[in-house]
Amino acid sequence: MKQKFQENARVQQAQLQRLRREFEILKMQNGESVNDYISRVMILANDMRGVGETMKDEHIVEKIMRTLSDKYNYIICSIEELKDINKMTEDELHNSLLMHEHKIK
């Protein structure tokens, strides 16, 4: 039983390493909508949490803000100036970006 637990722990650690790598290289693709991109980020974040990663909301918010396409640069600057990013949730960021995206379209 001890050996089986150690093997499961190794498998989980390998999965977590793979998910961390995917999370690190994740970027918004040209033409991708805010909804689609944030969904991809949240799926990965939830998968990582599922195998034991402790990921704070602020880490996810920062990741999204860093990796949006260039057309969102000025809205990111506005958000950084007006709001405390350390207290911002993914939903708040998502709503702000959606309002901006709808105005663009």
Side-chain angles (χ1 to χ4, degrees):
M1 184 175 246
K2 183 178 178 183
Q3 183 179 1
K4 185 171 182 152
F5 177 76
Q6 288 174 341
E7 288 174 10
N8 285 341
R10 278 186 280 224
V11 168
Q12 273 191 324
Q13 188 62 29
Q15 283 179 319
L16 185 55
Q17 290 301 322
R18 180 186 56 79
L19 291 168
R20 283 179 181 156
R21 182 178 188 290
E22 283 183 44
F23 190 79
E24 288 172 8
I25 63 173
L26 188 64
K27 291 178 100 174
M28 186 177 203
Q29 298 171 0
N30 288 333
E32 185 173 26
S33 72
V34 168
N35 273 336
D36 292 343
Y37 179 61
I38 291 178
S39 292
R40 287 193 309 132
V41 171
M42 294 309 298
I43 287 169
L44 265 176
N46 289 333
D47 287 349
M48 291 169 68
R49 287 175 174 156
V51 290
E53 180 74 27
T54 53
M55 184 175 296
K56 295 181 181 179
D57 289 345
E58 68 186 61
H59 183 66
I60 297 169
V61 167
E62 290 171 355
K63 170 65 177 180
I64 292 168
M65 291 177 72
R66 273 193 322 270
T67 56
L68 288 169
S69 64
D70 291 340
K71 71 180 182 179
Y72 293 95
N73 282 346
Y74 66 93
I75 190 68
I76 293 301
C77 290
S78 298
I79 290 170
E80 289 173 340
E81 287 181 14
L82 297 174
K83 298 184 179 188
D84 184 359
I85 296 170
N86 294 327
K87 295 179 182 174
M88 184 179 246
T89 65
E90 298 98 358
D91 287 336
E92 290 172 326
L93 177 61
H94 190 182
N95 290 334
S96 293
L97 293 170
L98 279 178
M99 284 190 318
H100 173 70
E101 187 175 60
H102 287 290
K103 285 181 182 179
I104 289 174
K105 291 181 180 179

Short mmCIF file of all heavy atoms in Angstrom, two decimals, residues 24-71:
data_model
loop_
_atom_site.label_atom_id
_atom_site.label_comp_id
_atom_site.label_asym_id
_atom_site.label_seq_id
_atom_site.Cartn_x
_atom_site.Cartn_y
_atom_site.Cartn_z
N GLU A 24 2.29 28.25 -17.64
CA GLU A 24 3.34 29.25 -17.85
C GLU A 24 3.40 29.74 -19.29
O GLU A 24 3.62 30.92 -19.53
CB GLU A 24 4.70 28.69 -17.44
CG GLU A 24 4.88 28.54 -15.96
CD GLU A 24 6.16 27.81 -15.59
OE1 GLU A 24 7.00 27.55 -16.48
OE2 GLU A 24 6.33 27.50 -14.41
N ILE A 25 3.19 28.86 -20.26
CA ILE A 25 3.33 29.26 -21.66
C ILE A 25 2.01 29.72 -22.29
O ILE A 25 1.99 30.16 -23.43
CB ILE A 25 3.96 28.13 -22.52
CG1 ILE A 25 3.08 26.90 -22.55
CG2 ILE A 25 5.35 27.81 -22.03
CD1 ILE A 25 3.56 25.82 -23.50
N LEU A 26 0.93 29.65 -21.54
CA LEU A 26 -0.38 30.02 -22.06
C LEU A 26 -0.43 31.51 -22.38
O LEU A 26 -0.02 32.34 -21.59
CB LEU A 26 -1.44 29.68 -21.00
CG LEU A 26 -2.89 29.83 -21.40
CD1 LEU A 26 -3.25 28.84 -22.51
CD2 LEU A 26 -3.78 29.60 -20.20
N LYS A 27 -0.92 31.83 -23.58
CA LYS A 27 -1.09 33.22 -24.02
C LYS A 27 -2.37 33.31 -24.82
O LYS A 27 -2.82 32.32 -25.41
CB LYS A 27 0.07 33.65 -24.92
CG LYS A 27 1.39 33.79 -24.24
CD LYS A 27 2.45 34.18 -25.22
CE LYS A 27 2.68 35.66 -25.10
NZ LYS A 27 3.79 36.14 -25.91
N MET A 28 -2.92 34.50 -24.86
CA MET A 28 -4.10 34.74 -25.67
C MET A 28 -3.69 34.71 -27.14
O MET A 28 -2.70 35.32 -27.53
CB MET A 28 -4.73 36.08 -25.33
CG MET A 28 -6.02 36.35 -26.01
SD MET A 28 -6.70 37.92 -25.43
CE MET A 28 -8.42 37.68 -25.80
N GLN A 29 -4.45 34.01 -27.95
CA GLN A 29 -4.15 33.90 -29.37
C GLN A 29 -4.85 35.02 -30.14
O GLN A 29 -5.86 35.54 -29.69
CB GLN A 29 -4.59 32.54 -29.89
CG GLN A 29 -3.87 31.40 -29.20
CD GLN A 29 -4.45 30.04 -29.56
OE1 GLN A 29 -5.41 29.94 -30.31
NE2 GLN A 29 -3.87 29.00 -29.00
N ASN A 30 -4.29 35.39 -31.28
CA ASN A 30 -4.90 36.43 -32.11
C ASN A 30 -6.30 36.01 -32.50
O ASN A 30 -6.54 34.89 -32.95
CB ASN A 30 -4.06 36.67 -33.37
CG ASN A 30 -2.77 37.37 -33.07
OD1 ASN A 30 -2.67 38.11 -32.09
ND2 ASN A 30 -1.78 37.18 -33.91
N GLY A 31 -7.23 36.93 -32.33
CA GLY A 31 -8.62 36.67 -32.70
C GLY A 31 -9.41 35.91 -31.65
O GLY A 31 -10.61 35.70 -31.82
N GLU A 32 -8.79 35.50 -30.57
CA GLU A 32 -9.48 34.76 -29.52
C GLU A 32 -10.30 35.72 -28.67
O GLU A 32 -9.86 36.82 -28.36
CB GLU A 32 -8.45 34.02 -28.65
CG GLU A 32 -9.04 33.12 -27.61
CD GLU A 32 -8.01 32.28 -26.89
OE1 GLU A 32 -6.84 32.70 -26.81
OE2 GLU A 32 -8.38 31.21 -26.40
N SER A 33 -11.47 35.30 -28.28
CA SER A 33 -12.31 36.15 -27.44
C SER A 33 -11.85 36.09 -25.99
O SER A 33 -11.17 35.15 -25.57
CB SER A 33 -13.77 35.72 -27.53
OG SER A 33 -13.97 34.50 -26.85
N VAL A 34 -12.25 37.09 -25.23
CA VAL A 34 -11.93 37.13 -23.80
C VAL A 34 -12.53 35.91 -23.10
O VAL A 34 -11.87 35.27 -22.29
CB VAL A 34 -12.46 38.44 -23.16
CG1 VAL A 34 -12.42 38.38 -21.65
CG2 VAL A 34 -11.67 39.63 -23.67
N ASN A 35 -13.78 35.58 -23.43
CA ASN A 35 -14.42 34.41 -22.81
C ASN A 35 -13.63 33.14 -23.06
O ASN A 35 -13.41 32.35 -22.14
CB ASN A 35 -15.84 34.22 -23.36
CG ASN A 35 -16.87 35.00 -22.61
OD1 ASN A 35 -16.68 35.35 -21.45
ND2 ASN A 35 -17.96 35.29 -23.27
N ASP A 36 -13.23 32.92 -24.30
CA ASP A 36 -12.49 31.70 -24.63
C ASP A 36 -11.15 31.64 -23.90
O ASP A 36 -10.76 30.59 -23.37
CB ASP A 36 -12.26 31.60 -26.14
CG ASP A 36 -13.54 31.36 -26.90
OD1 ASP A 36 -14.55 30.95 -26.28
OD2 ASP A 36 -13.55 31.58 -28.13
N TYR A 37 -10.45 32.77 -23.87
CA TYR A 37 -9.14 32.78 -23.23
C TYR A 37 -9.24 32.56 -21.72
O TYR A 37 -8.54 31.72 -21.16
CB TYR A 37 -8.38 34.08 -23.52
CG TYR A 37 -7.03 34.09 -22.85
CD1 TYR A 37 -6.08 33.12 -23.17
CD2 TYR A 37 -6.74 35.01 -21.86
CE1 TYR A 37 -4.85 33.10 -22.54
CE2 TYR A 37 -5.51 34.99 -21.23
CZ TYR A 37 -4.58 34.03 -21.57
OH TYR A 37 -3.36 34.00 -20.92
N ILE A 38 -10.14 33.28 -21.08
CA ILE A 38 -10.28 33.12 -19.64
C ILE A 38 -10.76 31.71 -19.30
O ILE A 38 -10.34 31.13 -18.30
CB ILE A 38 -11.19 34.22 -19.05
CG1 ILE A 38 -10.45 35.56 -19.15
CG2 ILE A 38 -11.57 33.91 -17.61
CD1 ILE A 38 -11.20 36.76 -18.65
N SER A 39 -11.60 31.14 -20.14
CA SER A 39 -12.02 29.75 -19.92
C SER A 39 -10.83 28.80 -19.97
O SER A 39 -10.72 27.90 -19.12
CB SER A 39 -13.04 29.33 -20.98
OG SER A 39 -14.24 30.02 -20.81
N ARG A 40 -9.94 29.00 -20.94
CA ARG A 40 -8.75 28.14 -21.02
C ARG A 40 -7.87 28.29 -19.77
O ARG A 40 -7.38 27.30 -19.23
CB ARG A 40 -7.92 28.47 -22.26
CG ARG A 40 -8.54 28.00 -23.55
CD ARG A 40 -7.60 28.04 -24.74
NE ARG A 40 -6.91 29.31 -24.94
CZ ARG A 40 -5.60 29.42 -25.16
NH1 ARG A 40 -4.83 28.35 -25.19
NH2 ARG A 40 -5.05 30.61 -25.36
N VAL A 41 -7.71 29.53 -19.31
CA VAL A 41 -6.90 29.77 -18.11
C VAL A 41 -7.53 29.09 -16.90
O VAL A 41 -6.85 28.42 -16.12
CB VAL A 41 -6.73 31.29 -17.86
CG1 VAL A 41 -6.07 31.54 -16.50
CG2 VAL A 41 -5.91 31.94 -18.97
N MET A 42 -8.83 29.24 -16.74
CA MET A 42 -9.51 28.69 -15.57
C MET A 42 -9.54 27.17 -15.59
O MET A 42 -9.45 26.55 -14.53
CB MET A 42 -10.93 29.27 -15.46
CG MET A 42 -10.95 30.76 -15.17
SD MET A 42 -9.91 31.26 -13.77
CE MET A 42 -10.70 30.35 -12.44
N ILE A 43 -9.67 26.58 -16.76
CA ILE A 43 -9.63 25.11 -16.84
C ILE A 43 -8.29 24.60 -16.35
O ILE A 43 -8.21 23.67 -15.55
CB ILE A 43 -9.94 24.63 -18.28
CG1 ILE A 43 -11.41 24.82 -18.59
CG2 ILE A 43 -9.52 23.17 -18.47
CD1 ILE A 43 -11.78 24.64 -20.06
N LEU A 44 -7.21 25.23 -16.83
CA LEU A 44 -5.88 24.82 -16.38
C LEU A 44 -5.69 25.06 -14.88
O LEU A 44 -5.16 24.20 -14.17
CB LEU A 44 -4.79 25.59 -17.15
CG LEU A 44 -4.22 24.90 -18.36
CD1 LEU A 44 -3.23 25.82 -19.07
CD2 LEU A 44 -3.57 23.59 -18.01
N ALA A 45 -6.11 26.23 -14.40
CA ALA A 45 -5.97 26.54 -12.98
C ALA A 45 -6.74 25.54 -12.12
O ALA A 45 -6.22 25.06 -11.10
CB ALA A 45 -6.45 27.96 -12.70
N ASN A 46 -7.94 25.20 -12.53
CA ASN A 46 -8.73 24.22 -11.77
C ASN A 46 -8.12 22.83 -11.83
O ASN A 46 -8.15 22.09 -10.84
CB ASN A 46 -10.18 24.21 -12.26
CG ASN A 46 -10.92 25.47 -11.87
OD1 ASN A 46 -10.61 26.11 -10.87
ND2 ASN A 46 -11.89 25.84 -12.67
N ASP A 47 -7.57 22.46 -12.98
CA ASP A 47 -6.88 21.17 -13.08
C ASP A 47 -5.68 21.13 -12.13
O ASP A 47 -5.42 20.12 -11.47
CB ASP A 47 -6.41 20.90 -14.51
CG ASP A 47 -7.55 20.56 -15.45
OD1 ASP A 47 -8.68 20.30 -14.96
OD2 ASP A 47 -7.31 20.54 -16.68
N MET A 48 -4.95 22.24 -12.06
CA MET A 48 -3.80 22.32 -11.16
C MET A 48 -4.23 22.22 -9.70
O MET A 48 -3.60 21.53 -8.90
CB MET A 48 -3.01 23.61 -11.40
CG MET A 48 -2.30 23.63 -12.74
SD MET A 48 -1.65 25.24 -13.18
CE MET A 48 -0.36 25.45 -11.98
N ARG A 49 -5.30 22.90 -9.36
CA ARG A 49 -5.82 22.82 -8.00
C ARG A 49 -6.27 21.40 -7.68
O ARG A 49 -6.14 20.93 -6.55
CB ARG A 49 -6.98 23.80 -7.82
CG ARG A 49 -6.54 25.24 -7.75
CD ARG A 49 -7.72 26.18 -7.70
NE ARG A 49 -7.30 27.57 -7.50
CZ ARG A 49 -8.01 28.61 -7.85
NH1 ARG A 49 -9.19 28.45 -8.43
NH2 ARG A 49 -7.56 29.83 -7.62
N GLY A 50 -6.79 20.71 -8.67
CA GLY A 50 -7.27 19.35 -8.48
C GLY A 50 -6.17 18.35 -8.15
O GLY A 50 -6.44 17.32 -7.54
N VAL A 51 -4.94 18.66 -8.56
CA VAL A 51 -3.82 17.75 -8.24
C VAL A 51 -2.92 18.32 -7.14
O VAL A 51 -1.79 17.90 -6.98
CB VAL A 51 -2.99 17.37 -9.49
CG1 VAL A 51 -3.78 16.48 -10.41
CG2 VAL A 51 -2.45 18.58 -10.20
N GLY A 52 -3.46 19.30 -6.39
CA GLY A 52 -2.75 19.74 -5.20
C GLY A 52 -2.07 21.09 -5.24
O GLY A 52 -1.49 21.51 -4.24
N GLU A 53 -2.15 21.80 -6.34
CA GLU A 53 -1.52 23.12 -6.41
C GLU A 53 -2.37 24.13 -5.64
O GLU A 53 -3.59 24.15 -5.77
CB GLU A 53 -1.40 23.57 -7.87
CG GLU A 53 -0.76 24.92 -8.07
CD GLU A 53 0.74 24.93 -7.84
OE1 GLU A 53 1.38 23.88 -8.03
OE2 GLU A 53 1.26 25.98 -7.50
N THR A 54 -1.72 24.94 -4.83
CA THR A 54 -2.43 26.01 -4.14
C THR A 54 -2.21 27.29 -4.94
O THR A 54 -1.14 27.87 -4.91
CB THR A 54 -1.92 26.20 -2.70
OG1 THR A 54 -0.50 26.37 -2.73
CG2 THR A 54 -2.26 25.02 -1.84
N MET A 55 -3.21 27.67 -5.69
CA MET A 55 -3.10 28.82 -6.58
C MET A 55 -4.07 29.90 -6.11
O MET A 55 -5.27 29.69 -6.05
CB MET A 55 -3.40 28.41 -8.01
CG MET A 55 -3.21 29.53 -8.99
SD MET A 55 -3.42 28.99 -10.68
CE MET A 55 -2.09 27.86 -10.85
N LYS A 56 -3.52 31.06 -5.80
CA LYS A 56 -4.34 32.18 -5.35
C LYS A 56 -4.98 32.86 -6.55
O LYS A 56 -4.46 32.85 -7.65
CB LYS A 56 -3.48 33.18 -4.60
CG LYS A 56 -2.90 32.64 -3.32
CD LYS A 56 -2.08 33.71 -2.62
CE LYS A 56 -1.49 33.16 -1.34
NZ LYS A 56 -0.67 34.16 -0.66
N ASP A 57 -6.11 33.51 -6.27
CA ASP A 57 -6.83 34.24 -7.32
C ASP A 57 -5.95 35.33 -7.92
O ASP A 57 -5.97 35.55 -9.13
CB ASP A 57 -8.10 34.88 -6.75
CG ASP A 57 -9.18 33.86 -6.44
OD1 ASP A 57 -9.06 32.72 -6.92
OD2 ASP A 57 -10.13 34.21 -5.73
N GLU A 58 -5.16 36.01 -7.10
CA GLU A 58 -4.33 37.09 -7.61
C GLU A 58 -3.31 36.59 -8.62
O GLU A 58 -2.98 37.29 -9.57
CB GLU A 58 -3.65 37.86 -6.49
CG GLU A 58 -2.59 37.08 -5.74
CD GLU A 58 -2.05 37.84 -4.54
OE1 GLU A 58 -2.84 38.14 -3.64
OE2 GLU A 58 -0.84 38.12 -4.53
N HIS A 59 -2.82 35.37 -8.46
CA HIS A 59 -1.87 34.78 -9.41
C HIS A 59 -2.56 34.59 -10.77
O HIS A 59 -1.97 34.86 -11.82
CB HIS A 59 -1.33 33.46 -8.87
CG HIS A 59 -0.30 32.82 -9.73
ND1 HIS A 59 0.93 33.37 -9.96
CD2 HIS A 59 -0.34 31.68 -10.45
CE1 HIS A 59 1.62 32.59 -10.77
NE2 HIS A 59 0.87 31.55 -11.09
N ILE A 60 -3.80 34.14 -10.75
CA ILE A 60 -4.55 33.93 -11.98
C ILE A 60 -4.86 35.27 -12.65
O ILE A 60 -4.70 35.41 -13.87
CB ILE A 60 -5.84 33.13 -11.70
CG1 ILE A 60 -5.47 31.73 -11.18
CG2 ILE A 60 -6.71 33.03 -12.95
CD1 ILE A 60 -6.64 30.96 -10.62
N VAL A 61 -5.27 36.25 -11.86
CA VAL A 61 -5.57 37.58 -12.41
C VAL A 61 -4.32 38.16 -13.06
O VAL A 61 -4.37 38.69 -14.18
CB VAL A 61 -6.10 38.52 -11.30
CG1 VAL A 61 -6.11 39.97 -11.74
CG2 VAL A 61 -7.50 38.08 -10.88
N GLU A 62 -3.18 38.07 -12.38
CA GLU A 62 -1.93 38.59 -12.94
C GLU A 62 -1.56 37.87 -14.23
O GLU A 62 -1.11 38.49 -15.19
CB GLU A 62 -0.80 38.46 -11.93
CG GLU A 62 -0.95 39.41 -10.75
CD GLU A 62 0.04 39.13 -9.64
OE1 GLU A 62 0.78 38.13 -9.72
OE2 GLU A 62 0.05 39.90 -8.67
N LYS A 63 -1.74 36.57 -14.26
CA LYS A 63 -1.44 35.78 -15.46
C LYS A 63 -2.30 36.25 -16.63
O LYS A 63 -1.78 36.47 -17.74
CB LYS A 63 -1.69 34.29 -15.17
CG LYS A 63 -1.66 33.38 -16.39
CD LYS A 63 -0.29 33.34 -17.01
CE LYS A 63 -0.28 32.37 -18.18
NZ LYS A 63 1.02 32.30 -18.82
N ILE A 64 -3.58 36.42 -16.40
CA ILE A 64 -4.47 36.86 -17.47
C ILE A 64 -4.05 38.23 -17.98
O ILE A 64 -3.94 38.46 -19.18
CB ILE A 64 -5.94 36.86 -16.99
CG1 ILE A 64 -6.42 35.43 -16.74
CG2 ILE A 64 -6.84 37.56 -18.00
CD1 ILE A 64 -7.74 35.33 -16.00
N MET A 65 -3.77 39.14 -17.06
CA MET A 65 -3.41 40.50 -17.46
C MET A 65 -2.09 40.55 -18.23
O MET A 65 -1.95 41.35 -19.14
CB MET A 65 -3.36 41.41 -16.22
CG MET A 65 -4.74 41.64 -15.62
SD MET A 65 -4.74 42.62 -14.13
CE MET A 65 -4.36 44.23 -14.80
N ARG A 66 -1.16 39.70 -17.87
CA ARG A 66 0.14 39.67 -18.55
C ARG A 66 0.08 39.09 -19.95
O ARG A 66 0.92 39.40 -20.79
CB ARG A 66 1.15 38.83 -17.75
CG ARG A 66 1.91 39.53 -16.70
CD ARG A 66 3.08 38.67 -16.20
NE ARG A 66 2.82 37.25 -16.09
CZ ARG A 66 2.33 36.64 -15.00
NH1 ARG A 66 2.05 37.33 -13.94
NH2 ARG A 66 2.15 35.34 -14.99
N THR A 67 -0.88 38.24 -20.19
CA THR A 67 -0.85 37.44 -21.42
C THR A 67 -1.98 37.76 -22.39
O THR A 67 -2.19 37.02 -23.35
CB THR A 67 -0.86 35.94 -21.08
OG1 THR A 67 -2.00 35.64 -20.28
CG2 THR A 67 0.40 35.54 -20.34
N LEU A 68 -2.71 38.83 -22.13
CA LEU A 68 -3.72 39.25 -23.10
C LEU A 68 -3.05 39.79 -24.35
O LEU A 68 -1.89 40.22 -24.30
CB LEU A 68 -4.61 40.34 -22.49
CG LEU A 68 -5.59 39.88 -21.42
CD1 LEU A 68 -6.20 41.08 -20.73
CD2 LEU A 68 -6.68 39.00 -22.01
N SER A 69 -3.77 39.81 -25.45
CA SER A 69 -3.20 40.35 -26.68
C SER A 69 -3.00 41.86 -26.53
O SER A 69 -3.58 42.51 -25.66
CB SER A 69 -4.07 40.02 -27.89
OG SER A 69 -5.33 40.64 -27.77
N ASP A 70 -2.20 42.43 -27.42
CA ASP A 70 -1.81 43.84 -27.33
C ASP A 70 -2.98 44.81 -27.39
O ASP A 70 -2.89 45.91 -26.87
CB ASP A 70 -0.80 44.18 -28.42
CG ASP A 70 0.54 43.51 -28.19
OD1 ASP A 70 0.82 43.11 -27.05
OD2 ASP A 70 1.32 43.40 -29.16
N LYS A 71 -4.07 44.43 -28.03
CA LYS A 71 -5.20 45.36 -28.15
C LYS A 71 -5.85 45.66 -26.79
O LYS A 71 -6.64 46.57 -26.68
CB LYS A 71 -6.23 44.86 -29.15
CG LYS A 71 -7.03 43.66 -28.72
CD LYS A 71 -8.01 43.28 -29.82
CE LYS A 71 -8.87 42.11 -29.41
NZ LYS A 71 -9.82 41.75 -30.45
#
